[in-house]
């Protein structure tokens, strides 16, 4: 097979038209109603019974002849003779005559002869008699047979998606089974680099995210996923898997191998076995996509990148599933927002994932190729091909993903257990990007976050304030946070008495990433030590094996030491002690919060600050992190 070049990209509108003509034909199967949630009705459902099947009382009270009560009033009640009592579920026949009353429970069948129920609250029973204080009208508090659902009435329409309400209706008309559509959707992941989640991650491997994310999306759309697992980039194996899936399913989805790269042959197989309708749609993310028919089975090759695969699924596969099932896509909420930051676009139509926080949309496209992109996004905006730049503050329409609750507060900065406790105690939902202090400062400077969490020292060991000054940050305030013990972390069986132990080359060090405040603290400490020794800092750090490593969180530093990939690290006491590692205190840092001035008075930020200042928060902090007299005070405003 020879390698193919990309063809012309299909414009989005044309691709949508093409999609609207593609359908697959599902089968019908009968399932128990308790297994029917999420399925689509294959036929109308008619009620085989009246609901209720008998006239029944809707109140606890007395079944009477309405006319006997017409004279009743508070001062002059009428007196009726109580002759019987009917509980719910009672199968006996009763009869109420003139001037008689029969005690009756909610849901119980009405006795013959009676035509109204007086509520117990409007009566008083005395011995064998009851006093009725208010007149009742005919049919009062009675639900007539068939008044809810009549026998033969259509209760559910074909093509309805079955949910709790529908299951309730089916059960209440006495149906135990229901005919539903069965649209089987085969899912194949391709790539030599893929491995199933739960298995050991070998070198160069990544977990197969697509099989699972796509299967869940298929279910959401009403189809039945059938996973074929991971197929290596081998033409013969891919062909076999595809053939099997096409035999067994109504629609087949593959992911990976769609771009015209070496070894990327999926689209050639589709081409060879069937007909390619399009290869490459002019949108981002997710340009490489093949749509074809193999026999009567729509076959779609989704891009490998998980973000792209899900975006393309939502745009182009979900509609095929809905067409095939005869369902209408579940309503996707659109919200009006303004861009929180400027956004450059690539000059072609883009479906751009964004996070939405209190009406402001932020690009969620951190790095293409990361699933976190989508999990940080609340919805997408559509950018037209002719748009090159969207200015901050311009209105955009965001199509929200299903069931997404957008967060209350956006946080960018250092990772710290204190933030997790703050989030829990505020009861709010934070969107947290733990990217380090530098990223926090940059994000707040660009108005891309509400709060930055920072622990960045200057040369004199003053935290955060001088960085704000140096960066010329405007329209922000600094709220003092808390102090954290930082030091060396190591296995408990090791004897470590200070940095000197590291410079002899006996230990492998695991460092934090550049841009993290903790690494900056370490650098400062080592600078002081170098000065003492009369050598340069580079000379000192050069003698520490592993100094150039870059672990992203306190947690991952500890993991590396526990797994034996490193011997010593630098980080939080709380992180070390949580996992049973040894700790030697070197210093205490100050972890503060830079907050945008324009939102300092909104409820969410007030709650955040109140919580920070609260005793409850202070008490929950782990050993090695402490609040102090300045905690929660706004020390400066810029
Ligand atoms: P491909 O289209 O095969 O060139 O894949 C594009 C990118 O997506 C590569 O980085 C792949 O490793 C990645 N990728 C492909 N399939 C999957 C999958 N099932 N789960 C997660 N990542 C994937
Ligand atoms: Mg691949």
């Amino acid at each position: 097979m020879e390698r193919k070049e990309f063809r012309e990209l299909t414009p989005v509108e044309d691709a949508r038209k093409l999609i609207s003509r593609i359908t697959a034909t599902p089968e019908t199967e009968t399932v128990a109603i308790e297994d029917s949630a999420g399925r689509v009705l294959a036929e109308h459902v008619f009620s085989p019974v009246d609901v209720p099947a008998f006239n029944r009382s809707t109140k606890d009270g007395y079944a009477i002849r309405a006319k006997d009560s017409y004279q009743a009033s508070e001062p002059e009640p009428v007196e009726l003779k109580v002759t019987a009592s009917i509980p719910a579920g009672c199968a006996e026949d009763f009869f109420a005559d003139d001037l008689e009353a029969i005690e009756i429970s909610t849901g119980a069948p009405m006795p013959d002869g009676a035509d109204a129920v007086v509520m117990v609250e409007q009566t008083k029973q005395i011995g064998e008699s009851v006093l009725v204080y208010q007149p009742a009208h005919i049919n009062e508090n009675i639900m007539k047979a068939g008044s809810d659902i009549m026998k033969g009435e259509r209760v559910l329409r074909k093509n309805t998606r079955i949910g709790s309400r529908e299951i309730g209706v089916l059960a209440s008309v006495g149906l135990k089974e229901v005919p539903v559509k069965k649209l089987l959707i085969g899912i194949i992941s391709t790539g030599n680099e893929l491995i199933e989640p739960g298995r050991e991650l070998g070198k160069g491997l990544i977990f197969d995210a697509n099989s699972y994310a796509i299967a869940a999306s298929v279910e959401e759309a009403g189809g039945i996923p059938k996973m074929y697992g991971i197929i290596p980039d081998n033409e013969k194996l891919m062909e076999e898997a595809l053939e099997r899936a096409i035999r067994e399913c109504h629609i087949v989805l593959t992911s990976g191998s769609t771009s015209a790269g070496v070894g990327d042959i999926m689209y050639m197989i589709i081409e060879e076995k069937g007909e390619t309708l399009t290869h490459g749609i002019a949108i981002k993310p997710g340009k490489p996509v093949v749509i074809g028919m193999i026999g009567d089975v729509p076959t779609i090759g989704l891009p490998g990148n998980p973000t792209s695969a899900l975006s393309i699924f939502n745009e182009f596969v979900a509609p095929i599933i809905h067409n095939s099932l005869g369902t209408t896509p579940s309503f996707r909420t659109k919200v009006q927002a303004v861009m929180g930051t400027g956004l450059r676009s690539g000059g072609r139509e883009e479906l751009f994932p964004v996070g939405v926080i209190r009406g402001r949309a932020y690009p969620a496209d951190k790095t293409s190729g990361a699933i976190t992109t989508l999990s940080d996004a609340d919805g997408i905006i559509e950018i037209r091909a002719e748009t090159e730049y969207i200015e901050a503050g311009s209105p955009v329409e965001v199509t929200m993903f299903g069931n997404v609750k957008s967060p209350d507060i956006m946080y960018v900065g250092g990772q710290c257990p204190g933030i997790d406790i703050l989030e829990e105690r505020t009861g709010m939902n934070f969107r947290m990007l733990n990217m380090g202090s530098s990223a926090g400062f940059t994000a707040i400077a660009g108005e891309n976050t509400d709060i930055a969490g920072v622990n960045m020292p200057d040369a004199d060991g003053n935290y955060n304030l001088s960085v704000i000054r140096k960066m010329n940050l405007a329209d922000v305030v600094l709220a003092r946070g808390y102090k954290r013990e930082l030091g060396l972390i190591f296995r408990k069986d090791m004897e470590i008495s200070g940095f000197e132990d590291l410079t002899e080359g006996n230990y492998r060090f695991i460092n934090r990433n550049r841009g993290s405040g903790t690494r900056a603290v370490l650098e400062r400490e080592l600078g002081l030590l170098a000065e003492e020794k009369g050598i340069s800092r580079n000379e000192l750090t050069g003698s520490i094996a592993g100094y150039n490593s870059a672990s992203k969180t306190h947690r991952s530093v500890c993991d590396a030491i526990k797994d034996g990939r490193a011997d010593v690290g630098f980080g939080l006491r709380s992180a070390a002690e949580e996992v049973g590692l040894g700790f030697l205190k070197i210093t205490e840092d100050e972890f503060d919060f830079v907050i945008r001035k324009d939102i300092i008075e909104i409820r969410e930020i007030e709650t955040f600050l109140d919580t920070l200042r609260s005793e409850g928060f202070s008490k929950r902090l782990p050993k090695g992190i402490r609040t102090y007299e300045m905690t929660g005070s706004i020390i400066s405003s810029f």
Side-chain angles (χ1 to χ4, degrees):
M1 243 187 235
E2 85 196 65
R3 214 185 125 177
K4 269 211 173 139
E5 292 309 315
F6 254 120
R7 307 165 185 189
E8 289 259 300
L9 296 178
T10 309
V12 173
E13 274 318 306
D14 295 357
R16 286 198 175 122
K17 276 197 204 110
L18 193 141
I19 290 294
S20 68
R21 291 194 295 268
I22 302 177
T23 56
T25 312
E27 296 160 43
T28 298
E29 66 176 340
T30 302
V31 298
I33 56 170
E34 59 268 39
D35 299 327
S36 69
R39 304 297 295 270
V40 175
L41 275 175
E43 290 160 22
H44 294 319
V45 175
F46 300 95
S47 175
V49 294
D50 276 332
V51 180
F54 51 89
N55 295 342
R56 72 175 175 191
S57 173
T58 62
K59 292 276 159 51
D60 288 337
Y62 294 87
I64 60 166
R65 298 185 168 198
K67 68 176 176 52
D68 290 344
S69 70
Y70 290 165
Q71 303 304 322
S73 66
E74 277 300 326
E76 288 183 58
V78 297
E79 185 174 342
L80 305 176
K81 182 163 183 268
V82 180
T83 59
S85 173
I86 312 178
C90 178
E92 261 175 80
D93 289 329
F94 292 91
F95 181 78
D97 213 332
D98 281 347
L99 296 175
E100 286 182 358
I102 296 179
E103 197 182 352
I104 192 164
S105 306
T106 304
M110 284 295 290
D112 286 338
D115 57 14
V117 172
V118 273
M119 289 198 297
V120 70
E121 292 86 341
Q122 294 164 359
T123 64
K124 184 166 165 194
Q125 185 158 2
I126 299 167
E128 304 279 276
S129 296
V130 64
L131 298 176
V132 176
Y133 291 89
Q134 272 186 34
H137 58 78
I138 290 179
N139 290 337
E140 186 161 346
N141 299 324
I142 298 173
M143 189 177 198
K144 290 289 208 178
S147 63
D148 200 356
I149 300 168
M150 257 174 356
K151 185 173 174 178
E153 190 180 324
R154 187 179 70 198
V155 284
L156 294 174
R157 195 183 271 279
K158 179 179 169 173
N159 295 345
T160 301
R161 191 81 188 273
I162 301 175
S164 52
R165 204 184 68 87
E166 286 72 23
I167 291 178
V169 169
L170 290 164
S172 63
V173 301
L175 293 172
K176 179 70 177 122
E177 293 180 327
V178 64
V180 293
K181 296 187 183 186
K182 181 177 172 186
L183 186 70
L184 275 177
I185 309 208
I187 299 169
I188 299 173
S189 283
T190 71
N192 290 337
E193 75 279 27
L194 301 181
I195 183 164
E196 254 172 73
R199 306 268 300 272
E200 178 130 5
L201 192 61
K203 188 156 185 238
L205 299 183
I206 61 170
F207 290 120
D208 170 18
N210 290 349
S211 289
Y212 300 87
I214 293 169
S217 304
V218 162
E219 279 192 336
E220 273 170 26
I224 299 175
K226 186 169 163 64
M227 290 205 254
Y228 288 87
I230 299 162
I231 310 296
D233 290 314
N234 168 298
E235 193 183 329
K236 189 142 185 323
L237 295 176
M238 276 158 86
E239 214 172 319
E240 278 169 17
L242 205 53
E243 267 170 8
R244 207 181 125 210
I246 283 161
R247 248 190 343 263
E248 295 172 350
C249 300
H250 304 105
I251 296 175
V252 173
L253 307 176
T254 69
S255 72
S257 303
T258 52
S259 51
V262 181
D264 286 11
I265 48 186
M266 185 54 87
Y267 83 100
M268 291 196 214
I269 296 178
I270 295 177
E271 178 93 306
E272 198 177 74
K273 297 199 170 301
E275 185 197 354
T276 309
L277 303 176
T278 169
H279 177 215
I281 299 178
I283 63 170
K284 199 185 107 183
K287 178 183 57 150
V289 48
V290 198
I291 301 177
M293 295 294 291
I294 300 184
D296 58 358
V297 179
T299 305
I300 295 117
L302 297 166
N305 173 319
T307 303
S308 303
L310 286 187
S311 298
I312 294 290
F313 182 96
N314 285 335
E315 285 303 314
F316 299 109
V317 181
I320 297 179
I321 296 177
H322 287 298
N323 284 346
S324 306
L325 290 170
T327 46
T328 36
S330 60
F331 178 66
R332 286 177 78 189
T333 321
K334 291 186 191 278
V335 303
Q336 305 301 322
V338 296
M339 265 332 270
T341 163
L343 178 62
R344 196 166 295 287
S345 157
R348 64 179 178 200
E349 176 141 359
E350 289 185 304
L351 300 173
F352 205 96
V354 293
V356 182
I357 294 159
R358 302 186 313 274
R360 291 162 68 99
Y362 297 95
D365 186 37
K366 267 192 296 183
T367 51
S368 60
I371 187 86
T372 46
T373 304
L374 261 203
S375 51
D376 283 337
D378 300 307
I380 51 164
I381 55 173
E382 230 175 292
I383 305 178
R384 308 211 62 82
E386 56 273 19
T387 307
E388 283 172 9
Y389 188 76
I390 306 181
E391 271 176 50
S394 30
V396 288
E397 185 177 68
V398 185
T399 305
M400 302 295 278
F401 297 134
N403 291 334
V404 165
K405 181 188 179 299
S406 64
D408 304 296
I409 282 187
M410 170 98 179
Y411 170 91
V412 180
Q415 182 243 337
C416 177
I419 311 283
D420 298 331
I421 296 170
L422 273 173
E423 180 181 32
E424 197 189 306
R425 295 198 66 88
T426 56
M428 292 192 294
N429 183 0
F430 294 6
R431 168 154 300 138
M432 279 191 249
L433 300 183
N434 295 324
M435 305 194 319
S437 290
S438 295
F441 280 118
T442 309
I444 200 100
E447 291 189 29
N448 284 334
T449 183
D450 299 324
I451 300 180
V454 293
N455 64 323
M456 192 61 86
D458 66 10
D460 300 325
N462 296 317
Y463 279 85
N464 304 321
L465 206 55
S466 53
V467 183
I468 295 179
R469 290 212 182 92
K470 212 166 89 193
M471 285 181 75
N472 267 327
L473 287 186
D475 302 320
V476 297
V477 299
L478 181 76
R480 280 291 187 213
Y482 38 78
K483 300 193 185 233
R484 314 182 307 172
E485 284 181 41
L486 288 173
L488 292 170
I489 299 173
F490 42 86
R491 284 192 319 277
K492 280 212 163 125
D493 61 5
M494 291 166 51
E495 295 231 348
I496 296 286
S497 53
F499 286 127
E500 276 87 350
D501 294 335
L502 299 176
T503 56
E504 282 143 31
N506 300 331
Y507 297 118
R508 292 163 301 161
F509 187 71
I510 172 105
N511 209 340
R512 287 290 306 280
N513 57 308
R514 272 176 224 286
S516 88
T518 300
R519 179 155 173 156
V521 175
L522 172 68
E523 273 167 13
R524 194 182 112 72
E525 293 297 329
L526 290 174
L528 295 176
L529 182 65
E531 214 171 292
E532 234 173 69
K533 287 179 172 271
I535 56 173
S536 77
R537 191 174 69 189
N538 282 348
E539 201 176 324
L540 182 68
T541 59
S543 65
I544 299 177
Y547 190 80
N548 285 326
S549 52
S551 210
K552 272 191 147 165
T553 60
H554 293 280
R555 188 63 201 243
S556 59
V557 166
C558 293
D559 282 348
I561 297 166
K562 289 211 86 156
D563 297 350
R565 282 175 281 130
D567 304 307
V568 184
F570 185 77
L572 289 174
R573 171 193 284 274
S574 58
E577 290 185 350
E578 195 189 330
V579 295
L581 287 170
F583 179 82
L584 176 74
K585 180 178 168 181
I586 300 286
T587 183
E588 214 175 31
D589 75 356
E590 285 173 35
F591 198 89
D592 294 335
F593 302 101
V594 189
I595 304 174
R596 288 205 345 248
K597 198 189 270 177
D598 61 323
I599 55 167
I600 192 75
E601 282 182 343
I602 67 169
R603 185 181 53 82
E604 288 84 353
I605 298 294
E606 279 187 349
T607 308
F608 178 88
L609 289 170
D610 286 346
T611 308
L612 178 63
R613 293 173 195 129
S614 69
E615 202 181 311
F617 167 67
S618 182
K619 281 200 178 129
R620 274 288 313 278
L621 287 171
K623 195 168 159 214
I625 303 184
R626 64 178 177 99
T627 55
Y628 62 116
E629 64 284 0
M630 297 298 283
T631 296
S633 56
I634 290 174
I635 59 153
S636 237
S637 170
F638 303 83

